[in-house]
Each structure stands twice: as structure tokens, then as C-alpha cells.
Amino acid sequence: MADTTTPNYGLTKPEVGASEDTWGTKINTNLNLIDTQMKVSDTRSAANTTVANAALPKAGGAMTGAITTNSTFDGRDVAADGVTADAALPRAGGTMTGVIAGFESTGIDDNATSTAVTIDASENVGIGTSSPTFPLHVNTSGSTGGQGTANTYTVAQLQTSTNTSGLWFGGMSTETTAVIGSTTATGNIAFQTYNSGWGERMRIDAAGHAIIGGGVTLGNGQTYAAANTLDDYEEGTFIPTVRGSTNAGSFSTDSAHIGRYTKIGDICSLSFVIGGTLSGATGSYTQFNLPFTVKAGTAATGTFSYVLTPNLNHLDFSSYVIAGQTLGYFLIKTSSTGTPVYPAPSSFMPNAVQIYGTVTYTVA
Amino acid sequence: MALTKVITQDKIEVVSEFKHVQVRTKTAVMEDGVELSSGFSRHVVTAGDDYSAESAEVQAICAAVHSDAVVAAYAAHVAASALGE
């Protein structure tokens, strides 16, 4: 049987019953190899000066027990770090899980090396400023060419992803004027407040109309007062007609006939041209109709600048409106010293009349 | 893009103890359902007036509020505020 060798270092195992003249040489060779390997191992152990390496498996297995070190690992001083979070942070890729406790930062960088967002010790957040003065302080030159007119700089924009409606904020480059705008080209801006429920209180539509449902209080500081509030404005037309106080008769208007009113609060101003022909009217008074009822406890007079009534001789022509009524009364003076009188409907018939007048009165 | 003219009585008010029925008529120009412009015209139906030419809605209101008592009260009011001649 030939010589065999050990599985790791290949030491010669002399054949039993043979190698009578060679076994001594073979054993000596083996001893030299063992001596050499023991020296290498001893040198390596002395150089490492630690015993941890022997306990660390090269691959597989599970390390148990604490590792105490003051050396560096992957370029970092593991002992000085003294934290366990590093092990959970992927160097690249992957997903970090768990909570980072005690994280400190003065801001967030952009994708280069500049600070994009500053967060100071008071939790003030600054964009465009490293010294934020307010909880959110944006201080940038903004950008043009997007929202607003040509000389408008947009600094911030808040919008919904649903339909892109929202607000943008900025300023004008040509004057110290702040600008708030709608993010959509045809967007309105609505203001809502909560009063036992949300409701829209004011709107600026795309065409620039300011629509304020609750009126505008003027001259009373920040406090609402009905007496200081303009809550009604309306302008329109009406058809003024002449009629008798007993029998209204009928009034056929001509092309000059027109009536306009402007109502501001409870004050209504009329301007009209009564042009046409009255027929069939009777009574002690001649009246004309109003677009609103006269307020109780009030009365007013109106003036007529031009009156063409062929059958009516007069020096002065005016009108009178009475509380609670919806009609005005014509009033004339026939002499400079005489008392005004109320002409009867017959004075306005049968020929066509033209009466230009204005009346301002308080509306019920 | 069709233009339409829409006329509505958008406000009907009963005013004062004499139940004057103030009617506001709105004339609107619409384009595909969007209002382009509008204007108002007003008239008042007074207690005792003939309201047979009014809209059905106004007629119903007048019938409800222009009772004989209201008509008489308004006539009395006018007479009481008779003007000096």
C-alpha cells in the first residue's frame, strides 16, 4: 500500500509495513511543514492582537455576543458613532424602515450642494432665505411668464390637482404691489366663512366683478352695522305712465317714452320721459307710477325740467310722492306767488304730452 | 354658440301694510347657458289695480294678498293723505 497524505496540509503518512528506509525522511519533512505553518499562524495572531477574528465566521453561521471595538469599519469610527441606526440605513437603494431618533439638520439641500429649504431652531421654515422670520418665510425673486400680467412675479402657487383651481401669490416688478391671482385662466376667486355652516360670502369672478352678498360696511371700523352697510344696489327701467286718480284711464306711449331708476340702499332716484297720450282718465289728481313703494313716514318732491302739455298753463311743474303709495302726483304753480295745485287729468288730455322729470325718494 | 334671450320675473316682493306687489323682470342674454348680460325692469301692482294682465304667478300673489280689506285700507290711506288743492 503506498503512502497517503493528510487532507489539509498534505503531510505524508508512511505506508505501514514499508518505507523502512524512508519513513524518517518523510516524518522530518512533515515536521518541517508543521513548524512552518505554526510559525505563520503565530505571526498572524500576534499581528492582529485581537481574538475576535477567530470568532467571526467567514461566511454563514450567526455571530453571537457583543462586539467591542474602537477601530473603524468601512471608513467610519464605529465606537465613536455609538449608534445602531447605521446598520438599518442602506448605502444605496433599498428602503429605510424604522424611526430615526435624534435627527438634526439645518435644512434640505437641492440636488446639488445649495440649501433649498432652511429649518431653524424655532421650526421656522425658509425658502429663499437662510434666516426665516416666520413659520413659513418665502423670499424669492419669483418668476415671470407664467401667472399674472407681464410685470408680475409669481412666488408661490397653491392649487388642487383635481382641476388645477387655486391661488398664486406674487408681486409686481414695476411697483410695490402684492398680487393674488387665480391659477386657472377662467377661474373665479371665492371667499367662504363659517357661520353655523360654510357659505360663500364674496366672489371675484373672472371678468373682475366683485360680488358681495352681505353688503359693504363703511365707516365703522371692523364692526358690522346695518346703518353703515350698503347691502342693496339695483338699476333698471320702468314704464312711467300718466293716470287719473279716480279712473286711471289708459296711456299710449310714444317713442320718446322711457323710465330709469337707480336704487342705492333705500334711496331710489328716477329719471324718466313720459311721452304719449292719455285717455279716459278722471279724478282730482293726475298721477304717475313709481317702480318702488314709498317708505312709510317719508315723502319727497320731484322736479320736471321740460313739460309739454298743450292744455296745461303753468309756470312751475313738480311732483310729490306720499308714504305708503306707489304713485306720484303732478303739482303745478300757475303764478309766481300762487299756491301749487294738482292738475286734473283733463289737463293732460286729449293731446300728447311729454314730461321730462326726476324724482328721488325713500323706498319701503 | 347659441344666443338666447331669457325673461324671468326674478323677484316678486310684497311690500308694506298695503301689500304692494313689486315685480322685478330680468332680461338676460345667454350664450350656451352662460349669462353674458342682463337688465332689470320693474313695476308695481297696487291694491285695487287690475292685475288680469299680469303673469300667473303675480296674479296668484295678488289674489292672495289684495283682499277686499287691503284694497279698502289702501283706498282709505290714499283718501286720508288727500292733497291740498
Side-chain angles (χ1 to χ4, degrees):
Chain A
M1 185 176 185
D3 293 344
T4 58
T5 59
T6 62
N8 295 316
Y9 288 101
L11 301 178
T12 302
K13 295 190 287 186
E15 178 184 3
V16 177
S19 303
E20 291 91 352
D21 296 328
T22 59
W23 67 271
T25 300
K26 294 175 182 175
I27 292 300
N28 288 339
T29 300
N30 287 344
L31 289 173
N32 287 337
L33 180 57
I34 293 169
D35 180 75
T36 300
Q37 293 300 325
M38 289 179 66
K39 179 61 178 176
V40 169
S41 176
D42 183 57
T43 301
R44 185 178 297 159
S45 297
N48 289 340
T49 67
T50 65
V51 296
N53 288 317
L56 291 173
K58 282 188 73 173
M63 193 198 78
T64 60
I67 297 177
T68 302
T69 180
N70 59 0
S71 64
T72 59
F73 176 76
D74 196 18
R76 299 188 58 176
D77 189 331
V78 177
D81 285 354
V83 295
T84 58
D86 293 286
L89 290 173
R91 286 191 67 177
T95 302
M96 194 201 80
T97 60
V99 176
I100 299 176
F103 174 79
E104 294 180 5
S105 174
T106 57
I108 302 171
D109 287 353
D110 60 10
N111 58 4
T113 58
S114 299
T115 299
V117 179
T118 297
I119 306 172
D120 71 8
S122 300
E123 289 81 46
N124 291 332
V125 177
I127 299 174
T129 173
S130 59
S131 304
T133 313
F134 318 106
L136 176 60
H137 189 166
V138 181
N139 182 34
T140 76
S141 59
S143 59
T144 59
Q147 306 291 22
T149 54
N151 57 352
T152 301
Y153 284 76
T154 302
V155 171
Q157 179 161 309
L158 307 173
Q159 69 182 56
T160 70
S161 60
T162 305
N163 58 11
T164 71
S165 64
L167 291 176
W168 57 264
F169 302 84
M172 299 183 71
S173 61
T174 53
E175 54 184 279
T176 54
T177 299
V179 182
I180 299 173
S182 169
T183 56
T184 52
T186 57
N188 308 315
I189 298 177
F191 298 82
Q192 297 187 0
T193 62
Y194 189 89
N195 184 20
S196 300
W198 286 104
E200 181 175 318
R201 316 304 180 194
M202 188 174 89
R203 170 176 293 223
I204 301 173
D205 72 10
H209 305 122
I211 305 158
I212 306 173
V216 179
T217 299
L218 302 169
N220 199 48
Q222 284 76 47
T223 305
Y224 168 78
N228 295 105
T229 300
L230 175 61
D231 56 3
D232 187 21
Y233 179 92
E234 184 180 318
E235 51 188 64
T237 63
F238 71 111
I239 302 174
T241 59
V242 179
R243 54 185 280 172
S245 58
T246 301
N247 291 317
S250 63
F251 189 79
S252 175
T253 60
D254 63 20
S255 59
H257 194 83
I258 189 171
R260 296 189 182 280
Y261 67 84
T262 300
K263 180 175 178 290
I264 303 174
D266 62 358
I267 298 297
C268 179
S269 292
L270 312 179
S271 64
F272 52 82
V273 178
I274 301 175
T277 303
L278 178 66
S279 60
T282 63
S284 300
Y285 312 113
T286 309
Q287 303 162 316
F288 60 97
N289 59 306
L290 306 171
F292 297 95
T293 305
V294 181
K295 187 174 184 177
T298 66
T301 58
T303 60
F304 297 90
S305 60
Y306 174 71
V307 179
L308 177 61
T309 53
N311 297 335
L312 187 63
N313 180 26
H314 63 279
L315 289 177
D316 188 22
F317 202 111
S318 62
S319 67
Y320 189 55
V321 297
I322 301 175
Q325 297 195 27
T326 59
L327 299 169
Y329 295 76
F330 290 113
L331 190 62
I332 63 170
K333 287 180 70 173
T334 56
S335 69
S336 59
T337 58
T339 302
V341 297
Y342 298 90
S346 57
S347 302
F348 294 78
M349 298 185 293
N351 299 315
V353 299
Q354 274 193 4
I355 304 168
Y356 294 70
T358 60
V359 179
T360 297
Y361 66 101
T362 306
V363 171
Chain B
M1 189 162 47
L3 293 176
T4 56
K5 179 173 152 181
V6 179
I7 299 175
T8 56
Q9 291 181 333
D10 72 325
K11 186 180 284 189
I12 302 174
E13 307 159 295
V14 179
V15 178
S16 91
E17 63 185 297
F18 304 116
K19 314 298 184 190
H20 302 305
V21 178
Q22 296 184 167
V23 182
R24 185 172 77 176
T25 302
K26 178 179 179 180
T27 303
V29 177
M30 313 286 287
E31 181 182 74
D32 298 332
V34 177
E35 182 177 306
L36 298 179
S37 67
S38 65
F40 295 127
S41 177
R42 279 188 173 269
H43 71 281
V44 184
V45 183
T46 304
D49 283 353
D50 176 11
Y51 52 79
S52 60
E54 299 292 333
S55 68
E57 192 173 15
V58 171
Q59 285 189 40
I61 293 171
C62 290
V65 300
H66 289 175
S67 62
D68 291 344
V70 170
V71 172
Y74 182 61
H77 170 73
V78 172
S81 55
L83 304 166
E85 294 184 80

